[in-house]
Amino acid sequence: MVHPIWLGGKWEPASSRGATYSATNPRTGERLPDLYPVSNWDDCDRALETAATAFGQLLETPRIEIAKFLRSYANKLESHAQQLAEIAAVETGLPVSPRLKDVELPRTTNQLRQAADAAADGGWALPTIDSKNNIRSQHGAIGPVIVFGPNNFPFAYNSIAGGDFASALAAGNPVIAKAHPAHPTTTRLMAELCAQALAESKLPAGTLQLMYQMSHEDGLRMVADDRMAATGFTGSRRAGLALKAACDSAGKPSYLEMSSVNPVVILPGAIAERADDIVEKFCSSCLMATGQFCTNPGLVILVAGPETDGFVVKVAAKFRDVPAGVLLTEGVLKSLTENVQHLVKSGAQTVAGGMRTNHPGFSYENTLLVVPGGRFLEDPLAFQTEMFGNASLFVLAHDLDQVVEIIGRLEGNLTGTIFSAASNRSDEAAYKRIATQLRQKVGRLNDDKMPTGVLVTAAMNHGGPYPSTGHAGFTAVGFPACVRRFSNLECFDGVREEHLPATLRNQNPTGTLWRFIDGNWTQGNI
Amino acid sequence: MVHPIWLGGKWEPASSRGATYSATNPRTGERLPDLYPVSNWDDCDRALETAATAFGQLLETPRIEIAKFLRSYANKLESHAQQLAEIAAVETGLPVSPRLKDVELPRTTNQLRQAADAAADGGWALPTIDSKNNIRSQHGAIGPVIVFGPNNFPFAYNSIAGGDFASALAAGNPVIAKAHPAHPTTTRLMAELCAQALAESKLPAGTLQLMYQMSHEDGLRMVADDRMAATGFTGSRRAGLALKAACDSAGKPSYLEMSSVNPVVILPGAIAERADDIVEKFCSSCLMATGQFCTNPGLVILVAGPETDGFVVKVAAKFRDVPAGVLLTEGVLKSLTENVQHLVKSGAQTVAGGMRTNHPGFSYENTLLVVPGGRFLEDPLAFQTEMFGNASLFVLAHDLDQVVEIIGRLEGNLTGTIFSAASNRSDEAAYKRIATQLRQKVGRLNDDKMPTGVLVTAAMNHGGPYPSTGHAGFTAVGFPACVRRFSNLECFDGVREEHLPATLRNQNPTGTLWRFIDGNWTQGNI
């Protein structure tokens, strides 16, 4: 039996009888039994048509209904936590605990509830009023959004439950979810709970839809279709750039999180002061979840010297000691193998790992590579090849000037990190030189902490300069700002009060909504 | 003598000796005497290198220095108002008064001062703090920005003085201004005042630069260059889309205002109630400045009937009575001629005008075209051809359903307008149906007022869905929001307080800066 897709509020067979795929258990390499359909254009077209109709209906639906749905969905996910975590563990190789059940699922339901709060409150839209001239503006829904989730967060970035899903819906948009092929059953179980919550809600039946797979060509055609408004994507640079080109040429915004090596600079004073502590933190950050985080510290920049040599030896020892984890898919194993080889060919030396393990399933030795700063500078792009997985490249600069030069050659990244001396100010001058330059290359700057761990808070930026994302002005994580990605700015000039949306009328609709009125933020009325 | 370009704080001869152009007096069609250089890649490269260096210096410059410069520049423009208005009148055919001296220049200096306030205040950056987790973010400078100004606002959108210039600089970015070829002497005089103000300021000498012209290829190469961060453009759809494609493929944001027909729906109740008033308002809006506004009402949608026929007759009479104005350039005249012909060929009828006048210089009869709604729907894109200038197309729908259908086929526009009965509620049901749909197609919705007249206020949106602009989430007019176009979002996670920008430290740096701290907007400290 081939599982149906979820279109227009119903579970229906895909139009393309016969074209199917199944996922793999990455711990064993064995195929899993469930069969999922590869949709043809008929399915895509139905999904688009349904979403376009739902958008019109959704515009007439009070925002509180979106909030109620999101909360109800979060509750349902929580009450199925064990089942969801178990199947996600089979499909991803990630542990039920500590991770899927006790970290990622709570994060996911927390995101859905923050999205609900954002939808109910309306402050994400930055309501702005010039009362004297009766000109009023705010962000508003943009239209149907397609979400492509990644392989590495089966819950928190899932196309039918994750951050892009939640923020697109919170803005008032229908969502077409495109499942990641590595965890279709996890996605299906979530979608079934989503469907229940939707059926119990007052939202239009076509508000949310799920497709498992489609051809590359149909995916590009969908994002550029007249009925589609915007795209959310988390995944590889290659796939992201193809989607971006399709969206760009059709004049559609796309929000893409593509790749990042997350440079970490460890200054001499920090090593002198607390090398062992930093070794622990680095190894934990780099090897956790087999290193499969977008913010994995994949490029560490150090100043060469005896203490740095000692630091490298300790990290290498730890990399050899810690058992290698499971990789998500055969594709991740293949890319990691190729990318390590590419770096070695380019001139990096292997200090630990560098080979596939002999475990069953998909696994690669924890891998540490080292390259001198001078060599890095001869081919900086080659050495910024992302090794998605349990691997990192250490660049040993011969002095601080070379560190600065290396940073000047970095591509855009999600994060950048500086460890500096905490007990004395020995690294302060270096910090200042480096931070000024590093800030321009990254979306988030960390002091003395590893880049993994992306807290869901209003102040977070999970974004960064191209090519880490497609637009450095937006964050994928952190309500309410993440909601604004999936919006248009809309303005009402001289519009009669009864024609205005509630959030822009003279009276504050909730008494708690923050609005920018005549140059000041206030929760008051006009 | 060929005028020099302004690079790195100096007026220098362009590298390309010989390649020059001059502007034309549109009232007479005669060439003006001043010769301006067409730059080659060497000039472009020098400008880019200078801007990249200036950016690093500007990051270290207190924001108050940017504000001081902007205010000083505004003062200098004011004290040269007469001279500037006179030369701009020669180059554009626009009147000194009422327009250049008493409307557009004050608007321009007002924008510069609002930009100064935004730069000094910092609230444009939406500083956001999670105090418990010590995560802090705000928007920050993006890097060198190139600004391409349009032909129709020699002051307020000038690449060296207008809204894009002011907002890019307020965000902390160097600007490379590309003059519009129709008014180089106006631009040069402004740049000379700009250069004086810059020399007296504490900003780096390379912060601002001016080039007059370059090849199409060099323009595309510049916007995609590694050293360029973003592009601001106002002008034709063709040029805008070419720049967009170049920016997109290099992963650079571009903010483009390209074209708009600004649909105006006049409902039956409004015509019955106040046809004469609306005739006056429409004609004034459509013919002012010879119709050369981005928000010119170029497409009017009416329900056919005897009262509408009377309305059309009155507008046509007025169009014939009012003397035709001067068009900005020979290119505008040529496009207007071609576009009117294109609409007529597509099936529109000429009710007034439709020919070049016999005045010297560039002038075309005030032109009113009419097309039945059914015909419009057979080729909706053809009938949305923008007739930039003193022309408008009236679409006569046979009923309200057809009005709604027509609106469903509209492209993205800067503005949309609905006139409805004010004394009774006879149009309310129609208003609701139309507004819901029209809002999705436009950046700004107007009730009972014509779309021309873009007030510079925080609540303004001068933007709209593609292809009216390149991204419907941003406005080109209205501080502080317009500043955010030229920024990255930057985040500081666990960063020590002494390493933070002043605007994100515990103490509010001014006591008046609004910050979003732990979910509330406040001017307080942490």
Side-chain angles (χ1 to χ4, degrees):
Chain A
M1 175 227 167
V2 182
H3 285 288
I5 55 177
W6 182 37
L7 293 186
K10 294 180 195 141
W11 292 95
E12 294 201 354
S15 306
S16 55
R17 311 297 159 90
T20 64
Y21 77 97
S22 56
T24 299
N25 180 334
R27 288 191 182 276
T28 62
E30 287 165 5
R31 287 261 156 216
L32 293 166
D34 288 84
L35 283 180
Y36 292 92
V38 180
S39 283
N40 59 19
W41 180 252
D42 282 351
D43 291 344
C44 301
D45 185 64
R46 276 197 293 164
L48 285 162
E49 201 56 33
T50 304
T53 304
F55 180 49
Q57 298 162 340
L58 207 48
L59 287 172
E60 304 290 313
T61 308
R63 288 299 172 260
I64 190 67
E65 303 301 335
I66 293 176
K68 284 183 190 165
F69 158 78
L70 285 163
R71 290 180 189 131
S72 147
Y73 182 25
N75 293 342
K76 286 185 200 295
L77 291 172
E78 271 173 359
S79 60
H80 293 76
Q82 186 66 32
Q83 184 193 4
L84 287 166
E86 282 171 11
I87 185 61
V90 170
E91 289 190 318
T92 64
L94 295 167
V96 167
S97 178
R99 166 76 190 247
L100 290 167
K101 188 178 174 193
D102 46 6
V103 179
E104 194 180 333
L105 196 70
R107 176 187 160 150
T108 308
T109 52
N110 172 32
Q111 283 177 170
L112 291 168
R113 293 191 177 108
Q114 288 200 34
D117 292 346
D121 175 67
W124 68 269
L126 303 176
T128 300
I129 299 176
D130 173 341
S131 70
K132 192 178 124 215
N133 296 296
N134 191 24
I135 302 177
R136 301 167 192 234
S137 62
Q138 63 180 3
H139 288 262
I142 188 171
V145 174
I146 186 164
V147 175
F148 297 83
N151 55 12
N152 62 340
F153 278 93
F155 300 149
Y157 286 72
N158 194 297
S159 55
I160 198 69
D164 282 0
F165 165 90
S167 36
L169 181 59
N173 304 303
V175 174
I176 299 173
K178 153 69 180 66
H180 192 280
H183 47 256
T185 300
T186 307
T187 304
R188 174 171 59 82
L189 293 180
M190 296 183 108
E192 284 169 2
L193 299 172
C194 187
Q196 287 173 22
L198 188 68
E200 292 160 16
S201 80
K202 291 184 179 154
L203 303 184
T207 302
L208 304 167
Q209 302 180 89
L210 172 70
M211 300 170 67
Y212 290 100
Q213 187 63 297
M214 63 200 69
S215 73
H216 191 65
E217 293 69 33
D218 283 345
L220 298 180
R221 188 173 165 194
M222 270 190 103
V223 302
D225 190 276
D226 270 355
R227 293 161 290 185
M228 189 71 83
T231 294
F233 168 86
T234 309
S236 73
R237 188 186 293 190
R238 185 187 303 185
L241 291 181
L243 289 171
K244 180 178 187 297
C247 292
D248 286 345
S249 60
K252 316 268 181 191
S254 58
Y255 300 97
L256 316 152
E257 191 199 313
M258 293 188 282
S259 58
S260 186
V261 295
N262 303 296
V264 174
V265 181
I266 309 177
L267 290 173
I271 293 201
E273 181 186 77
R274 55 189 204 280
D276 288 347
D277 177 54
I278 300 173
V279 168
E280 280 304 314
K281 283 184 170 139
F282 169 75
C283 293
S284 161
S285 173
C286 185
L287 302 182
M288 186 170 37
T290 324
Q292 297 164 113
F293 287 121
C294 357
T295 54
N296 190 52
L299 184 76
V300 179
I301 304 165
L302 302 141
V303 179
E307 284 185 315
T308 293
D309 290 344
F311 181 83
V312 174
V313 166
K314 283 176 186 166
V315 170
K318 187 100 187 167
F319 266 43
R320 283 186 289 260
D321 283 356
V322 174
V326 180
L327 294 167
L328 291 156
T329 65
E330 190 165 11
V332 171
L333 173 60
K334 188 161 167 278
S335 293
L336 179 55
T337 307
E338 287 171 2
N339 292 331
V340 169
Q341 281 167 0
H342 177 62
L343 289 185
V344 170
K345 258 191 208 155
S346 301
Q349 272 195 299
T350 311
V351 185
M355 302 283 288
R356 191 173 171 162
T357 69
N358 54 10
H359 303 162
F362 313 134
S363 168
Y364 194 86
E365 293 174 346
N366 298 325
T367 297
L368 181 64
L369 305 179
V370 173
V371 71
R375 181 74 199 103
F376 180 97
L377 287 170
E378 286 167 22
D379 196 356
L381 283 183
F383 289 104
Q384 289 175 73
T385 302
E386 186 185 14
M387 298 180 287
F388 187 74
N390 48 333
S392 189
L393 172 67
F394 280 19
V395 184
L396 305 188
H398 63 66
D399 59 14
L400 195 70
D401 286 346
Q402 199 174 55
V403 172
V404 173
E405 202 181 342
I406 288 165
I407 291 170
R409 304 301 296 275
L410 293 180
E411 292 192 291
N413 277 279
L414 296 172
T415 72
T417 299
I418 306 175
F419 281 82
S420 59
S423 57
N424 61 49
R425 300 181 56 82
S426 65
D427 287 328
E428 285 308 291
Y431 181 98
K432 194 164 182 294
R433 282 185 69 191
I434 290 165
T436 304
Q437 195 144 11
L438 188 57
R439 271 173 62 184
Q440 305 311 314
K441 305 282 189 169
V442 305
R444 172 165 57 102
L445 180 71
N446 306 288
D447 267 13
D448 309 308
K449 63 184 284 191
M450 286 294 160
T452 46
V454 180
L455 212 69
V456 183
T457 163
M460 177 51 65
N461 179 21
H462 192 58
Y466 183 87
S468 65
T469 79
H471 195 306
F474 294 93
T475 176
V477 171
F479 295 90
C482 65
V483 179
R484 283 197 289 277
R485 291 177 297 161
F486 300 108
S487 75
N488 288 341
L489 182 58
E490 53 181 30
C491 176
F492 301 84
D493 189 349
V495 169
R496 302 181 202 165
E497 190 168 19
E498 69 268 27
H499 294 162
L500 289 169
T503 43
L504 291 178
R505 293 189 183 173
N506 286 349
Q507 190 177 325
N508 190 308
T510 60
T512 54
L513 172 64
W514 283 102
R515 305 189 295 177
F516 191 64
I517 300 179
D518 300 330
N520 286 297
W521 286 97
T522 170
Q523 292 177 303
N525 302 320
I526 288 171
Chain B
M1 176 227 166
V2 182
H3 285 287
I5 56 177
W6 183 35
L7 292 186
K10 294 179 195 142
W11 292 94
E12 296 202 353
S15 305
S16 54
R17 311 296 159 90
T20 64
Y21 77 98
S22 56
T24 300
N25 181 334
R27 289 189 181 277
T28 62
E30 287 165 3
R31 288 260 156 215
L32 294 165
D34 288 83
L35 282 181
Y36 292 92
V38 179
S39 281
N40 59 18
W41 182 251
D42 282 350
D43 291 346
C44 301
D45 186 65
R46 275 197 292 164
L48 285 163
E49 200 56 34
T50 304
T53 304
F55 180 49
Q57 298 162 340
L58 207 48
L59 287 172
E60 306 288 313
T61 307
R63 288 297 171 263
I64 190 68
E65 303 302 334
I66 293 175
K68 284 183 190 165
F69 158 78
L70 285 162
R71 290 180 188 130
S72 146
Y73 182 25
N75 294 342
K76 286 184 200 295
L77 290 172
E78 271 172 0
S79 60
H80 293 75
Q82 187 64 32
Q83 184 194 3
L84 287 166
E86 282 171 10
I87 185 62
V90 170
E91 289 189 318
T92 64
L94 296 167
V96 167
S97 179
R99 165 74 192 245
L100 290 167
K101 188 178 173 191
D102 45 7
V103 179
E104 193 179 332
L105 196 70
R107 176 188 161 149
T108 308
T109 52
N110 172 32
Q111 286 177 168
L112 292 169
R113 292 189 177 110
Q114 288 199 34
D117 293 345
D121 175 66
W124 69 269
L126 302 176
T128 300
I129 299 176
D130 173 342
S131 70
K132 192 179 125 215
N133 296 296
N134 191 23
I135 302 178
R136 301 166 192 235
S137 63
Q138 64 179 4
H139 287 262
I142 189 171
V145 174
I146 186 163
V147 175
F148 297 84
N151 55 12
N152 62 340
F153 278 92
F155 300 150
Y157 285 73
N158 194 296
S159 55
I160 198 70
D164 283 0
F165 166 90
S167 35
L169 181 59
N173 304 302
V175 174
I176 298 173
K178 154 70 179 64
H180 192 280
H183 46 256
T185 300
T186 307
T187 304
R188 174 171 60 80
L189 293 180
M190 295 183 108
E192 284 169 2
L193 299 171
C194 187
Q196 286 172 24
L198 188 69
E200 292 160 17
S201 80
K202 291 184 178 153
L203 303 184
T207 302
L208 304 166
Q209 303 179 89
L210 172 71
M211 300 170 68
Y212 289 100
Q213 187 63 296
M214 63 200 69
S215 73
H216 191 65
E217 293 68 34
D218 283 345
L220 298 180
R221 188 174 166 192
M222 270 189 103
V223 301
D225 190 277
D226 270 355
R227 293 160 291 185
M228 190 71 83
T231 294
F233 168 86
T234 309
S236 74
R237 189 186 294 191
R238 186 186 303 185
L241 291 181
L243 289 172
K244 180 178 186 296
C247 292
D248 286 345
S249 61
K252 317 268 183 191
S254 57
Y255 300 97
L256 315 152
E257 191 198 313
M258 293 188 283
S259 58
S260 188
V261 296
N262 304 296
V264 175
V265 182
I266 309 178
L267 290 173
I271 293 201
E273 180 187 77
R274 56 188 204 280
D276 288 348
D277 177 55
I278 299 174
V279 168
E280 280 304 314
K281 282 185 171 139
F282 169 76
C283 293
S284 161
S285 173
C286 185
L287 302 182
M288 186 170 38
T290 323
Q292 298 163 114
F293 288 121
C294 357
T295 54
N296 190 51
L299 184 76
V300 179
I301 304 165
L302 301 140
V303 179
E307 284 185 316
T308 293
D309 290 345
F311 181 83
V312 175
V313 166
K314 283 177 187 166
V315 170
K318 187 100 188 171
F319 267 44
R320 283 186 287 261
D321 282 357
V322 174
V326 179
L327 294 167
L328 290 157
T329 65
E330 190 166 12
V332 170
L333 173 61
K334 189 162 166 277
S335 294
L336 178 55
T337 307
E338 288 171 1
N339 292 331
V340 169
Q341 283 168 359
H342 176 63
L343 290 184
V344 170
K345 258 192 209 154
S346 303
Q349 273 195 299
T350 310
V351 185
M355 300 283 289
R356 190 173 172 163
T357 69
N358 55 8
H359 302 164
F362 313 133
S363 169
Y364 194 87
E365 293 174 346
N366 300 324
T367 297
L368 181 63
L369 304 179
V370 174
V371 71
R375 180 73 198 103
F376 180 98
L377 286 170
E378 286 167 22
D379 196 356
L381 283 183
F383 289 103
Q384 290 175 72
T385 303
E386 185 184 15
M387 298 179 287
F388 186 75
N390 47 333
S392 190
L393 172 67
F394 280 19
V395 183
L396 305 188
H398 63 66
D399 60 14
L400 196 70
D401 286 345
Q402 198 175 57
V403 172
V404 173
E405 201 181 342
I406 288 165
I407 290 170
R409 305 301 297 273
L410 293 180
E411 293 192 290
N413 277 278
L414 296 173
T415 72
T417 299
I418 305 175
F419 280 81
S420 60
S423 56
N424 61 49
R425 299 181 58 82
S426 64
D427 288 327
E428 284 309 291
Y431 181 97
K432 193 165 182 292
R433 281 184 70 191
I434 289 166
T436 304
Q437 195 144 14
L438 188 57
R439 270 173 62 185
Q440 305 310 316
K441 305 281 188 171
V442 306
R444 172 165 57 102
L445 180 72
N446 306 288
D447 266 15
D448 310 308
K449 63 184 285 191
M450 286 294 161
T452 45
V454 181
L455 212 68
V456 183
T457 161
M460 178 50 66
N461 179 22
H462 192 58
Y466 183 86
S468 66
T469 80
H471 195 305
F474 294 92
T475 176
V477 171
F479 295 91
C482 65
V483 180
R484 283 197 288 277
R485 291 177 296 161
F486 301 108
S487 75
N488 288 342
L489 182 58
E490 53 182 29
C491 176
F492 301 85
D493 189 348
V495 169
R496 302 181 203 166
E497 190 167 20
E498 70 267 27
H499 294 162
L500 290 169
T503 44
L504 291 177
R505 293 189 184 173
N506 286 350
Q507 190 176 327
N508 189 309
T510 60
T512 54
L513 172 64
W514 283 101
R515 305 190 294 178
F516 191 63
I517 300 180
D518 301 329
N520 286 296
W521 287 97
T522 170
Q523 293 177 305
N525 302 320
I526 289 171

